[in-house]
Amino acid sequence: MIEIFTEKYRDVLSAAAEGVCKKLGVSPDDIDVEINMVDAEEIRSLNKEQRNIDKVTDVLSFQNLADVHFPFSKDDYTDDINPENGSVFLGEIFICEERADEQAEEYDHTLERELSFLCCHGMLHLFGYDHDTEEKEKAMNDLCEEALSSIGQTRDKGYEKKEEKKSDFHSGFVALMGRPNAGKSTLLNSIVGEKVSIVSWKPQTTRNKIKGIYNEPDCQIVFIDTPGLHKPRNSLGDYMMKTAASATEDIDCIVYLVDGEKGLSAEDVNNINNYVSDGFKVIVAVNKVDHITKERVMAILTQINEIKGLVAVVPLSALRKKNIEPLIEEIKKLLVDTIKYYDEDSYTDKNMRFIAAEIIREKALRLLDQEVPYGIGVDIREYAYRESGDIIDISADIICEKQAHKPIILGKGGSMIKKIATYARQDLEEIAGTKIFLTLFVRVKDDWREDESVMRSIGYNKKDLS
Ligand SMILES: Nc1nc2c(ncn2[C@@H]2O[C@H](COP(=O)(O)OP(=O)(O)OP(=O)(O)O)[C@@H](O)[C@H]2O)c(=O)[nH]1
Ligand SMILES: [Mg+2]
């Protein structure tokens, strides 16, 4: 049974799937296949989950049978028979509507033809066909074409086009890179207009990749905030640098932030040169110009002009939101994709649990002195709405790495932890738009920044980085 989970393209997909069955001499009643139409974000997340590829693709097929042979007989697959309908479970196909639409335009044929092709391609995968060698690819393509022509699906057959024309819309991914404290997270928050990433004057504040989404009617830019580039001194630092490196996968450009107060360092020059020679499109933003003289800005810009191969250089103030538009305009020139990856209401890829942990960490970073805050992690133990729906209960552990740090975090009579909780609650209530009850505890986990199992449990897992 070929099950198709879309009303809109049911006829096209079912004709294509049956065309493949006919070509292979298989009765559609003997097989159990599920065909789904999904949007770009859904196929991207399936691709990431199942294949560890964080990219939108046109079609995904998940094959159930390890080995298919012909002539196809149900009796050869008794373990894979679906007891509900007596057919052999072949697998699932997911087709991305936006990508199919784009490809139809690109190849100058109809959407119907493109969907049929993608469906045939997916079906052949479920039957064990592959394209990992030139020879196999040709065999697969030939079969696909034969199946398509057997159902009269030629390139000139018309099909109702989607009403929305998207060619004026552009989108892309931009990694914000730079040394610790340059102002990457501040810039992300200013661009997005929401507090997405935590900020502090202490270096190495950001530990994860955090996406912030900027929308305009004709464009969507997904910015990726990253941990500041430094030489790692422990496993957490190592995780942070791997995180930063992984943020440059599949991006359209890098915005490299230079801290205007500190000036252009030799490490900055080295990092920028490496990105340029690796083929990235690099825009350098000189940040914190609100805090330095015009002469100093000019001197830094002159130094940067020596670097070859940059797309643009933009002086700005992330904190004061000065000169951010010219940066956006430079980025827009580099956008080539036409997919809206996130809906307009989303402004980050992170959930409230993650944001809650980060806000608590931010307050600890800002309130605690010396080395204590660097060894802090936050584990959210509970995040739950009360039945009434208007109060969220959050309880979290502040994890520190030395017994001696515990009394410092607690403060005299619990004054410090109360302060952290009050400031964090105020921010979280504003972000969540609802009342919050926040309870914090302090736990000691000796040298956890070297302990990968503790790191994993609080969200620093190297395996999550593709
Ligand atoms: N004066 C001034 N300060 C800024 C500006 N942008 C950021 N800052 C300050 O610089 C400090 C570091 O900012 P962050 O945004 O946390 O820097 P970051 O690059 O994300 O740092 P890491 O996450 O540690 O890599 C904070 O105290 C910010 O308030 C700016 O435009 N002007
Ligand atoms: Mg940061």
Side-chain angles (χ1 to χ4, degrees):
M1 191 189 172
I2 298 169
E3 273 195 277
I4 300 185
F5 295 95
T6 165
E7 205 52 59
K8 200 166 164 194
Y9 303 113
R10 172 158 294 135
D11 295 349
V12 184
L13 298 176
S14 120
E18 283 173 19
V20 170
C21 290
K22 198 165 153 201
K23 199 72 225 150
L24 297 175
V26 178
S27 159
D29 292 337
D30 284 353
I31 56 163
D32 188 14
V33 174
E34 293 177 5
I35 304 177
N36 307 271
M37 292 295 297
V38 290
D39 62 19
E41 190 41 41
E42 230 173 316
I43 209 152
R44 184 190 186 95
S45 85
L46 273 169
N47 209 7
K48 168 104 174 101
E49 260 167 45
Q50 304 293 331
R51 301 167 70 221
N52 215 9
I53 302 176
D54 192 6
K55 251 182 149 174
V56 176
T57 187
D58 48 5
V59 59
L60 285 175
S61 37
F62 299 111
Q63 185 188 356
N64 177 48
L65 302 182
D67 183 28
V68 185
H69 34 270
F70 297 96
F72 187 89
S73 161
K74 267 174 39 171
D75 300 338
D76 295 338
Y77 310 96
T78 46
D79 290 347
D80 294 285
I81 288 196
N82 179 346
E84 279 176 26
N85 54 26
S87 331
V88 179
F89 181 56
L90 219 58
E92 285 178 284
I93 298 174
F94 294 85
I95 298 172
C96 173
E97 187 172 355
E98 286 107 309
R99 205 19 88 84
D101 205 14
E102 277 181 1
Q103 287 176 186
E105 210 151 291
E106 200 178 309
Y107 295 124
D108 199 21
H109 58 216
T110 63
L111 176 61
E112 182 181 29
R113 154 88 200 185
E114 185 62 25
L115 288 171
S116 306
F117 171 81
L118 295 175
C119 183
C120 284
H121 186 90
M123 283 293 291
L124 287 170
H125 270 307
L126 297 190
F127 278 114
Y129 285 84
D130 214 337
H131 41 77
D132 48 355
T133 64
E134 240 174 72
E135 210 176 310
K136 286 197 210 166
E137 185 176 0
K138 187 176 176 326
M140 194 169 170
N141 281 342
D142 287 351
L143 256 175
C144 203
E145 281 306 326
E146 285 166 27
L148 286 171
S149 46
S150 78
I151 56 163
Q153 195 44 260
T154 53
R155 283 175 186 264
D156 55 353
K157 191 164 178 225
Y159 192 73
E160 190 191 330
K161 273 263 163 201
K162 286 204 338 200
E163 280 159 34
E164 200 186 344
K165 192 162 177 342
K166 290 196 194 144
S167 54
D168 294 337
F169 184 87
H170 286 98
S171 62
F173 286 75
V174 176
L176 298 173
M177 313 292 293
R179 293 172 61 220
N181 232 21
K184 300 175 292 299
S185 304
T186 309
L187 181 61
L188 181 77
N189 294 341
S190 290
I191 289 174
V192 172
E194 300 282 349
K195 181 151 182 169
V196 173
S197 193
I198 62 168
V199 167
S200 90
W201 55 89
K202 297 203 167 79
Q204 297 172 34
T205 297
T206 306
R207 291 174 176 171
N208 303 75
K209 269 188 296 198
I210 298 168
K211 287 181 187 155
I213 300 138
Y214 171 84
N215 286 301
E216 273 187 32
D218 63 347
C219 87
Q220 180 171 77
I221 310 172
V222 182
F223 288 90
I224 309 167
D225 188 16
T226 62
L229 303 167
H230 67 281
K231 285 202 179 72
R233 292 208 197 93
N234 49 39
S235 292
L236 178 63
D238 196 38
Y239 167 84
M240 286 159 65
M241 288 309 88
K242 288 204 165 75
T243 302
S246 72
T248 60
E249 278 165 27
D250 298 323
I251 52 165
D252 297 272
C253 91
I254 287 177
V255 169
Y256 189 96
L257 252 76
V258 171
D259 185 336
E261 272 185 322
K262 294 211 180 88
L264 182 76
S265 69
E267 279 146 285
D268 286 324
V269 176
N270 193 35
N271 291 334
I272 296 169
N273 276 327
N274 284 341
Y275 290 130
V276 172
S277 62
D278 284 346
F280 289 106
K281 295 192 173 102
V282 181
I283 298 174
V284 176
V286 180
N287 190 27
K288 309 192 187 179
V289 297
D290 58 300
H291 237 221
I292 52 175
T293 61
K294 282 200 176 103
E295 291 70 32
R296 177 114 174 92
V297 177
M298 286 313 294
I300 298 174
L301 293 178
T302 310
Q303 279 179 296
I304 294 174
N305 276 336
E306 306 269 296
I307 303 175
K308 302 267 177 305
L310 298 178
V311 172
V313 184
V314 184
L316 52 82
S317 167
L319 187 68
R320 306 275 167 234
K321 300 191 175 72
K322 290 262 161 63
N323 227 33
I324 290 178
E325 299 78 22
L327 173 68
I328 301 283
E329 289 309 313
E330 290 296 343
I331 296 170
K332 277 188 185 173
K333 293 181 199 162
L334 306 174
L335 304 178
V336 285
D337 236 334
T338 55
I339 288 176
K340 194 177 268 182
Y341 287 92
Y342 294 88
D343 63 50
E344 282 139 11
D345 301 336
S346 329
Y347 58 86
T348 182
D349 63 328
K350 297 295 180 214
N351 59 26
M352 268 309 286
R353 229 183 143 90
F354 176 90
I355 293 171
E358 286 288 270
I359 295 282
I360 296 163
R361 197 165 63 79
E362 179 186 75
K363 302 313 167 198
L365 270 169
R366 290 183 179 191
L367 291 165
L368 294 164
D369 281 338
Q370 292 161 358
E371 91 274 25
V372 181
Y374 292 104
I376 273 179
V378 175
D379 188 12
I380 302 288
R381 316 281 294 175
E382 186 202 5
Y383 186 99
Y385 273 91
R386 292 216 185 142
E387 242 171 63
S388 57
D390 55 357
I391 296 175
I392 305 170
D393 282 306
I394 304 175
S395 72
D397 287 342
I398 294 184
I399 297 170
C400 62
E401 60 183 356
K402 287 190 173 53
Q403 197 62 44
H405 292 171
K406 190 171 176 175
I408 301 173
I409 300 168
L410 289 171
K412 237 188 182 164
S415 57
M416 177 55 85
I417 197 159
K418 258 188 220 149
K419 220 177 194 179
I420 295 173
T422 305
Y423 288 164
R425 180 181 52 74
Q426 284 166 354
D427 268 22
L428 287 169
E429 285 186 341
E430 199 171 312
I431 295 169
T434 183
K435 206 165 168 46
I436 283 175
F437 274 84
L438 176 62
T439 321
L440 294 181
F441 304 90
V442 182
R443 277 204 297 156
V444 183
K445 297 229 168 182
D446 293 330
D447 293 323
W448 70 266
R449 284 190 291 175
E450 291 292 4
D451 184 337
E452 303 222 345
S453 71
V454 181
M455 280 172 45
R456 268 199 304 279
S457 71
I458 56 173
Y460 309 124
N461 188 354
K462 282 185 192 157
K463 288 219 176 88
D464 291 342
L465 308 169
S466 47

